[in-house]
Amino acid sequence: MLRVVSWNINGIRSPLQGLAGQEPSNSPTALRRVLDELDADIVCLQETKVTSVATFCKDSATPVAAEEGLSGVFATLNGDIGCYGNTDEFTQEELRVLDSEGRAFLTQHKIRTLEGKEKTLTLINVYCPHADPGKPERLTFKMRFYRLLQIRAEALLAAGSHVIILGDLNTAHRPIDHCDASSLECFEEDPGRKWMDGLLSNPGNEAGPHIGHFMDSFRYFHPKQQRAFTCWSVVSGARHLNYGSRLDYVLGDRSLVIDTFQASFLLPEVMGSDHCPVGAVLNVSCVPAKQCPALCTRFLPEFAGTQLKILRFLVPLEQEPVKEQPVLQPSHQIQAQKQPSKARIHSTRLRKTQGVPKRNQKSLMSYFQPSSNLSQTSDVELPTLPLVSPLTSTKTAEEVAMATVVKEKNKVPEAKDEKEVRTAFWKSMLSGPSPMPLCGGHREPCVMRTVKKAGPNFGRHFYMCARPRGPPSDPSSRCNFFLWSRPS
């Protein structure tokens, strides 16, 4: 049996937080425990925040070839998979841009069926782009990436290899794969959904418009399962209400799914990310390669297990040749000047410093010795100034005492008034946030949100219910309370 698992982990350290108290989140042991708990022969990760995708294979599933990217622009000469299809509709610059984000990684394996036949299986680990409503160019990028993915997958299929596309496709294919029933109208106009219609065929032998070369393995085994979601909103905390979307898939070519797939599953109980793992079990055995492909990390110096030398980080500096002024000199002197030796340069540097006397290092106690300038000025007597100017009028001791008492009495209320004014000023400036209004459905404090959609209300703040989203029939889910923070 061959077990493959795909998981968008939303950062390589995110799933490791669940192992807090056992191992540090950045230790290799913690990552190994995560891979062991998934219990798969091949684990494909997306959105690691180090790379877009990463593929881990057991020794029993060592690939015979590996390649980064869909277009072949960044392919190496040793260990390429090939079969890129007809990409004439793309320019070379467009192919480079589509693969520059590292959203696809391919591994090719040898598998053996129950009949003993050996076949080729190519896994395409993908993290498809997200279409940001505020950035229309990202939707164009996403659809072009989809197109390139389909061309490469169908080219591999035409070359005789079985193909599995697994990962985060960032599209909910059917209305059953999305939680919000109010968005059914948008499904018909979603370009990503239309692309999946052309890529996939109907499960089983159902008749319909979907006549693509690939099948959704989960819907093949669970065609009508409701609320089978793989992604939930982190902001709204809707995971415990199971209010999300199914964006992660294990797609296989039609003959592979029908003949060799034994199961397709979701693992919603696995925490650590806003996505859950998805996977499939194939009724085949993997034939490991004799040696790892060139892109295997064990061949990188960082993972070689030996300490790197400092010389690897030092690059020799190439000095530009100095342009000499043409001077009328004998030929033997000109040749001697054009080829200065290192010894001559070294000797000139020494010659410049020969006449400079050596400076001994100062002792720490030298900074605590008394200065000679202070001793000289201490003997000079300063002139004494008269205490009372002849222009000032003299006052008696009784008048001075009375003026002092009156002045002290006036200071007390002035200080109190000044302190109160300052306090009132800072209270008006730093009054703190105003109390949140209560929602109408639960009478609980609301949360403030900001309008991010382009339009007349862009950037405005509003209040809404703080509870997570859920079905409208669930009273514990978010109510429909809405209030602008300030009138327009």
Side-chain angles (χ1 to χ4, degrees):
M1 295 292 181
L2 177 65
R3 179 183 170 96
V4 296
V5 172
S6 171
W7 191 12
N8 182 324
I9 58 176
N10 192 22
I12 190 65
R13 295 188 180 183
S14 297
L16 308 183
Q17 304 299 329
L19 300 174
Q22 301 175 4
E23 294 98 359
S25 62
N26 57 350
S27 68
T29 309
L31 179 59
R32 187 175 301 170
R33 284 203 55 184
V34 172
L35 297 176
D36 292 341
E37 289 180 2
L38 294 177
D39 190 23
D41 300 291
I42 303 174
V43 178
C44 298
L45 304 180
Q46 301 89 39
E47 200 177 0
T48 66
K49 303 296 178 68
V50 179
T51 59
S52 293
V53 293
T55 302
F56 296 85
C57 303
K58 286 186 176 180
D59 292 338
S60 58
T62 302
V64 296
E67 185 178 330
E68 182 180 3
L70 298 173
S71 63
V73 175
F74 299 105
T76 59
L77 297 178
N78 188 11
D80 292 347
I81 295 176
C83 302
Y84 303 106
N86 186 4
T87 58
D88 293 341
E89 59 186 274
F90 301 90
T91 64
Q92 286 297 317
E93 181 62 26
E94 189 177 8
L95 292 175
R96 184 178 297 275
V97 171
L98 289 174
D99 273 343
S100 63
E101 297 181 3
R103 292 182 173 273
F105 191 84
L106 288 75
T107 55
Q108 199 166 69
H109 308 260
K110 289 293 183 181
I111 58 175
R112 183 179 291 114
T113 63
L114 295 179
E115 295 80 13
K117 297 181 180 180
E118 289 192 2
K119 297 183 178 181
T120 303
L121 174 64
T122 305
L123 270 74
I124 306 179
N125 179 13
V126 292
Y127 174 43
C128 295
H130 170 68
D132 190 348
K135 298 179 180 179
E137 66 276 6
R138 292 303 293 179
L139 177 59
T140 304
F141 183 88
K142 176 179 180 178
M143 298 312 300
R144 297 298 282 172
F145 184 87
Y146 277 160
R147 177 59 182 159
L148 184 61
L149 172 61
Q150 184 174 358
I151 291 175
R152 183 69 186 276
E154 292 178 352
L156 289 167
L157 194 61
S161 172
H162 288 297
V163 179
I164 293 180
I165 304 173
L166 71 170
D168 183 1
L169 297 186
N170 257 319
T171 294
H173 182 209
R174 298 181 175 180
I176 195 176
D177 299 325
H178 198 273
C179 60
D180 196 354
S182 62
S183 62
L184 296 182
E185 299 178 357
C186 300
F187 266 79
E188 300 298 332
E189 304 297 331
D190 184 11
R193 179 180 177 271
K194 292 181 179 180
W195 171 80
M196 293 191 70
D197 287 343
L199 179 73
L200 302 179
S201 62
N202 282 325
N205 295 319
E206 299 177 8
H210 302 169
I211 54 175
H213 297 286
F214 295 88
M215 294 182 65
D216 182 356
S217 63
F218 184 81
R219 286 303 173 200
Y220 177 74
F221 291 96
H222 315 278
K224 297 182 180 180
Q225 181 175 341
Q226 300 284 338
R227 306 181 67 79
F229 303 140
T230 65
C231 177
W232 302 268
S233 175
V234 178
V235 178
S236 60
R239 183 163 187 170
H240 72 281
L241 293 175
N242 194 22
Y243 197 73
S245 304
R246 192 168 74 95
L247 307 179
D248 305 84
Y249 299 84
V250 179
L251 311 179
D253 63 85
R254 188 179 181 87
S255 62
L256 182 69
V257 173
I258 295 176
D259 297 338
T260 64
F261 271 58
Q262 296 296 307
S264 184
F265 54 85
L266 312 180
L267 299 175
E269 69 278 1
V270 177
M271 308 299 289
S273 173
D274 56 341
H275 293 247
C276 76
V278 300
V281 178
L282 286 72
N283 193 15
V284 297
S285 60
C286 200
V287 181
K290 295 182 180 179
Q291 61 181 4
C292 297
L295 286 180
C296 183
T297 54
R298 69 171 57 182
F299 298 131
L300 298 178
E302 294 83 353
F303 302 95
T306 57
Q307 186 176 3
L308 299 179
K309 296 182 179 181
I310 299 180
L311 293 178
R312 287 187 56 88
F313 302 95
L314 301 179
V315 180
L317 180 62
E318 297 181 358
Q319 296 183 356
E320 297 181 357
V322 181
K323 296 182 180 180
E324 298 180 355
Q325 298 292 336
V327 182
L328 296 177
Q329 294 179 353
S331 60
H332 64 276
Q333 293 183 4
I334 295 176
Q335 293 178 359
Q337 289 180 1
K338 288 185 178 180
Q339 299 177 354
S341 62
K342 293 183 179 180
R344 177 179 297 181
I345 297 174
H346 184 65
S347 62
T348 54
R349 291 180 180 176
L350 293 177
R351 192 178 298 113
K352 291 180 180 179
T353 57
Q354 283 177 356
V356 181
K358 294 184 177 180
R359 295 183 179 180
N360 297 328
Q361 185 177 2
K362 290 186 177 181
S363 173
L364 185 62
M365 296 303 297
S366 63
Y367 295 96
F368 298 96
Q369 295 179 359
S371 176
S372 59
N373 295 332
L374 293 177
S375 60
Q376 293 177 4
T377 56
S378 60
D379 299 335
V380 180
E381 294 184 359
L382 297 175
T384 58
L385 299 175
L387 297 178
V388 181
S389 174
L391 298 178
T392 58
S393 59
T394 58
K395 295 183 179 180
T396 61
E398 184 177 359
E399 291 177 349
V400 173
M402 290 296 295
T404 305
V405 173
V406 172
K407 188 175 182 180
E408 292 296 333
K409 287 182 178 181
N410 294 334
K411 277 185 178 180
V412 176
E414 290 179 359
K416 290 183 178 180
D417 295 342
E418 185 178 357
K419 185 177 181 181
E420 291 176 357
V421 170
R422 289 182 178 179
T423 303
F425 170 75
W426 286 113
K427 282 184 177 181
S428 63
M429 294 293 295
L430 306 174
S431 58
S434 58
M436 292 289 179
L438 304 180
C439 66
H442 310 97
R443 305 304 299 171
E444 296 177 353
C446 296
V447 292
M448 179 181 287
R449 295 285 184 260
T450 305
V451 179
K452 296 182 179 180
K453 184 177 180 180
N457 293 322
F458 179 78
R460 291 188 63 186
H461 301 288
F462 61 92
Y463 300 102
M464 61 183 299
C465 180
R467 292 198 178 191
R469 295 180 62 184
S473 59
D474 189 352
S476 63
S477 62
R478 180 187 300 169
C479 63
N480 295 327
F481 180 81
F482 179 88
L483 178 66
W484 291 111
S485 63
R486 291 182 182 180
S488 58

